[in-house]
Amino acid sequence: MYWDVVDVKPLEHLGLAVRFADGLIGEVRFAPEHLTGVFEPLKDPDYFRKVYIDHGVVEWPGQIDLAPDAMYNEIKANGVWVLA
């Protein structure tokens, strides 16, 4: 799909640079207060840097992932997806 992520790189803590299959490029940023529940481990900078792509989806160990379609739509509209 066009919203499949093909490249992800951690930026400063709580930020990601992403590129999609259709060439769209943008950023994902987490607000610290969003890191609760399943996202709690992302508070650890070393863990956050373990980000990877599996079948077009941004993931971390332990089954933490981000919805690529929602990410794509927000980045296409605003250049950034802020999870707050």
Side-chain angles (χ1 to χ4, degrees), residues 29 52 54 58:
R29 293 187 202 138
Y52 64 94
D54 185 24
V58 172

Side-chain angles (χ1 to χ4, degrees), residues 3-10 16-21 49-61 64-66 68 71:
W3 64 60
D4 283 353
V5 177
V6 295
D7 190 37
V8 63
K9 290 184 176 41
L16 300 171
V18 295
R19 183 169 49 92
F20 294 89
R49 286 190 295 270
K50 292 181 180 181
V51 65
Y52 64 94
I53 299 168
D54 185 24
H55 295 90
V57 177
V58 172
E59 296 189 12
W60 287 266
I64 299 172
D65 61 27
L66 301 176
M71 184 188 325

Side-chain angles (χ1 to χ4, degrees), residues 11-72:
L11 301 173
E12 74 286 341
H13 187 54
L14 303 182
L16 300 171
V18 295
R19 183 169 49 92
F20 294 89
D22 72 349
L24 180 68
I25 296 171
E27 289 186 27
V28 176
R29 293 187 202 138
F30 289 87
E33 61 272 11
H34 184 76
L35 300 179
T36 60
V38 69
F39 292 113
E40 183 91 21
L42 300 181
K43 289 180 179 179
D44 177 352
D46 291 329
Y47 185 87
F48 190 84
R49 286 190 295 270
K50 292 181 180 181
V51 65
Y52 64 94
I53 299 168
D54 185 24
H55 295 90
V57 177
V58 172
E59 296 189 12
W60 287 266
Q63 299 182 330
I64 299 172
D65 61 27
L66 301 176
D69 54 339
M71 184 188 325
Y72 181 91

